[in-house]
């Protein structure tokens, strides 16, 4: 009997051991499967964040494009640029980018702009919706309810001015844009908000007209270093330009002599002024001191050489054509070649010429003109902003009745609207 009981006990122990091992194996299998699911979820969670970042990048890229920028995507042509063209900014303006082919996006309500993604439909990342406005990639101006009435109003759009502290204000600078992205990767979802603004440009300009060599100014020419509004009409000569000045002697409104510049500066060479030339500025109309420093393009723009090269690499135009309007960055590399000549036409932004340059006829420009060679300004050409010329001869400006009016707004506005966007804020609002 004792032997039989021992055999029975051994059988029970074997069964129990088998059951324990089975349970342990099942637990290991369950834990392994759970680990796989957790790992997969974490992977999708991270991928969804990358998708959200990609959505923000499309929005910022398209905000920086020159309007219009026509592209062909998913078999259709569309304008890829996104921009609020109203100034001052429309408080209710919004843009939504839908995950659909061009022309199939939902109809936009008043005050909104709807467009399709520029992604290829073969590899769509899901950072928007095909039709749901609530989850579509959205861009809007940053807003602060100053009067507490819950209504977006003029003067409540947040602007960014790098020259101020704090830079966010409601008076000067570029609007801060808020990009809202709801992104998915399979079952994972992440929602982020990115704040961005135009890359700030703080131009370092000493005069309305700055030359490294001597200047020959003849005819009915106006060169004024008082700070003028960017809205000053072209061909505004002295004394009519006084009505658009932010600085200078009374009775002008917004007078602030600290914003004035000298009219013409050289680095020691004489200014041959003839005819009925009018030159104005503060603290003096002209300065030919040999101690004046001539600014390189990076110095004039207040940027590094690498930043300037990046801007020039992405220039909107690399030549000039008569009667053409060229908003943006015009980069003409003609050193050692024939003089580049622009007759009529014009634009808004930066002109950079490595060789000789001439503007004639009814040429109009708002922004900065920088010429490494000689510059001839003729006819009724009008520049509102500033001109910097290195020059290789003793004269650069002759004849006609052109005008150069200094405008800090035209310089910074013309440059910053074409220099891309920088992120100044980031947060995740869900999906943590």
């Amino acid at each position: 009997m004792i032997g039989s009981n021992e055999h029975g006990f051994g059988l029970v122990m074997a069964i129990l051991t088998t059951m324990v091992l089975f349970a342990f194996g099942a637990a290991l299998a369950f834990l392994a499967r759970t680990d796989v699911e957790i790992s997969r979820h974490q992977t999708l969670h991270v991928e969804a964040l990358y998708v959200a970042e990609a959505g923000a990048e499309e929005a910022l890229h398209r905000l920086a494009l020159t309007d219009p920028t026509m592209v062909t995507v998913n078999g259709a042509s569309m304008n890829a640029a996104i921009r609020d063209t109203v100034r001052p900014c429309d408080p209710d303006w919004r843009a939504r980018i839908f995950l659909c082919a061009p022309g199939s996006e939902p109809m936009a309500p008043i005050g909104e702009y709807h467009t399709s993604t520029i992604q290829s439909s073969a590899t769509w990342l899901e950072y928007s919706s095909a039709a749901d406005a609530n989850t579509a990639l959205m861009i809007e101006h940053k807003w602060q309810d100053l009067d507490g009435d819950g209504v977006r109003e003029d003067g409540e759009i947040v602007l960014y001015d790098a020259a101020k502290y704090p830079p966010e204000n409601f008076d000067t600078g570029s609007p801060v844009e808020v990009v809202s992205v709801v992104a998915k990767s399979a079952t994972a979802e992440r929602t982020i908000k990115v704040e961005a603004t135009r890359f700030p440009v703080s131009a370092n300009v000493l005069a309305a007209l700055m030359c490294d060599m001597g200047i020959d100014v003849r005819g009915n020419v106006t060169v004024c270093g008082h700070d003028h509004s960017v809205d000053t009409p072209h061909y505004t000569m002295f004394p009519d330009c006084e009505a658009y000045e932010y600085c200078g002697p009374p009775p002008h409104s917004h007078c602030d002599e600290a914003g004035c510049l000298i009219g013409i500066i050289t680095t020691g060479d004489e200014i041959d002024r003839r005819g009925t030339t009018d030159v104005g500025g503060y603290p003096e109309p002209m300065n030919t001191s040999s101690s004046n420093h001539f600014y390189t393009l990076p110095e004039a723009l207040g940027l590094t050489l690498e930043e300037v090269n990046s801007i020039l690499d992405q220039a909107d135009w690399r030549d000039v054509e008569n009667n053409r309007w060229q908003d943006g960055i015009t980069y003409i590399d003609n050193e050692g070649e024939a003089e580049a000549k622009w007759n009529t036409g014009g634009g808004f932004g930066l002109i950079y010429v490595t060789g000789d340059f001439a503007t004639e006829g009814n040429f109009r420009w708002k922004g900065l003109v920088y010429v490494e060679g000689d510059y001839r300004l003729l006819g009724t050409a009008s520049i509102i902003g500033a001109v910097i010329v290195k020059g290789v001869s003793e004269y650069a400006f002759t004849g006609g009745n052109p005008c150069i009016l200094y405008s800090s707004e035209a310089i910074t506005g013309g440059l910053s609207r074409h220099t891309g966007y920088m992120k100044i804020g980031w947060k995740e609002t869900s999906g943590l």
Side-chain angles (χ1 to χ4, degrees):
M1 294 295 294
I2 295 176
S4 298
N5 289 339
E6 288 178 350
H7 285 299
F9 179 76
L11 178 61
V12 170
M13 290 299 298
I15 293 173
L16 289 175
T17 301
T18 302
M19 292 178 63
V20 169
L21 291 175
F22 177 80
F24 184 70
L28 288 178
F30 176 78
L31 290 175
R33 180 179 178 182
T34 301
D35 286 342
V36 170
E37 289 297 322
I38 292 175
S39 177
R40 179 175 179 274
H41 178 73
Q42 290 177 335
T43 299
L44 293 176
H45 199 61
V46 172
E47 287 179 353
L49 181 60
Y50 290 150
V51 171
E53 290 284 6
E57 290 300 323
E58 176 177 344
L60 298 182
H61 169 71
R62 295 180 64 176
L63 281 170
L65 294 175
T66 301
D67 189 16
T69 297
M70 303 306 297
V71 299
T72 299
V73 58
N74 299 319
S77 179
M78 61 175 287
N79 179 12
I82 297 176
R83 181 173 297 173
D84 176 13
T85 58
V86 177
R87 290 294 180 270
C89 296
D90 178 1
D92 295 316
W93 177 85
R94 287 184 179 86
R96 299 184 196 269
I97 301 174
F98 289 88
L99 204 64
C100 61
S104 60
E105 58 272 1
M107 182 176 295
I110 296 175
E112 287 196 9
Y113 174 72
H114 286 184
T115 184
S116 65
T117 182
I118 56 174
Q119 292 188 75
S120 169
S121 59
T123 56
W124 267 344
L125 296 176
E126 197 173 354
Y127 51 65
S128 185
S129 167
D132 182 7
N134 293 322
T135 56
L137 177 58
M138 183 178 71
I139 307 166
E140 60 184 340
H141 300 315
K142 186 176 181 179
W143 166 66
Q144 186 173 330
D145 192 4
L146 298 179
D147 55 13
D149 63 357
V151 178
R152 287 176 173 255
E153 298 167 325
D154 292 339
E156 294 184 335
I157 297 302
V158 179
L159 306 176
Y160 188 95
D161 186 343
K164 288 189 173 183
Y165 183 81
E168 291 193 3
N169 68 98
F170 300 92
D171 300 314
T172 61
S174 299
V176 176
E177 310 294 2
V178 179
V179 180
S180 301
V181 191
V182 179
K184 295 180 179 180
S185 178
T187 58
E189 180 176 296
R190 305 287 286 269
T191 301
I192 66 171
K193 286 185 181 293
V194 175
E195 293 185 3
T197 189
R198 286 279 184 184
F199 191 92
V201 174
S202 181
N204 193 13
V205 178
L206 295 180
L209 169 58
M210 183 176 189
C211 289
D212 194 31
M213 306 291 289
I215 304 172
D216 186 358
V217 186
R218 304 183 184 186
N220 184 26
V221 181
T222 293
V223 181
C224 186
H226 289 211
D227 198 3
H228 298 78
S229 166
V230 67
D231 296 321
T232 304
H234 281 295
Y235 316 123
T236 303
M237 309 291 284
F238 183 84
D240 296 337
C241 67
E242 291 181 347
Y244 300 93
E245 293 175 2
Y246 288 127
C247 55
H252 309 309
S253 61
H254 309 295
C255 291
D256 180 7
E257 291 184 341
C260 292
L261 299 181
I262 296 169
I264 302 177
I265 279 184
T266 70
T267 56
D269 293 283
E270 294 299 319
I271 300 172
D272 187 1
R273 179 182 175 188
R274 304 182 190 183
T276 57
T277 299
D278 291 303
V279 181
Y282 178 86
E284 56 189 332
M286 298 183 293
N287 185 309
T288 59
S289 172
S290 59
S291 63
N292 291 331
H293 174 68
F294 183 79
Y295 289 145
T296 63
L297 182 61
E299 289 174 324
L301 297 181
L303 302 173
T304 66
L305 178 61
E306 291 74 19
E307 289 170 336
V308 170
N309 287 336
S310 177
I311 291 173
L312 296 178
D313 287 342
Q314 301 175 56
D316 301 285
W317 310 90
R318 294 186 178 274
D319 61 0
V320 295
E321 182 177 313
N322 293 336
N323 300 309
R324 185 167 67 185
W325 200 255
Q326 298 186 181
D327 281 354
I329 308 299
T330 298
Y331 172 31
I332 306 170
D333 187 3
N334 66 330
E335 183 179 6
E337 300 177 4
E339 174 187 77
K341 185 180 296 184
W342 203 342
N343 186 0
T344 311
F348 186 15
L350 168 69
I351 298 175
Y352 176 60
V353 185
T354 61
D356 296 337
F357 188 48
T359 51
E360 303 179 351
N362 296 324
F363 174 79
R364 295 146 290 167
W365 191 263
K366 290 189 176 183
L368 179 65
V369 177
Y370 193 106
V371 183
E372 298 282 2
D374 297 337
Y375 179 33
R376 296 188 301 116
L377 182 66
L378 304 172
T380 55
S382 170
I383 296 173
I384 298 172
V387 177
I388 301 178
V389 183
K390 186 169 182 61
V392 294
S393 63
E394 295 181 354
Y395 56 90
F397 305 88
T398 59
N401 58 345
C403 62
I404 302 173
L405 306 178
Y406 170 65
S407 172
S408 59
E409 285 182 339
I411 297 172
T412 57
L415 289 169
S416 63
R417 66 186 288 191
H418 298 286
T419 53
Y421 279 74
M422 69 173 189
K423 297 177 182 177
I424 57 176
W426 187 100
K427 70 177 180 179
E428 185 165 12
T429 57
S430 70
L432 293 174

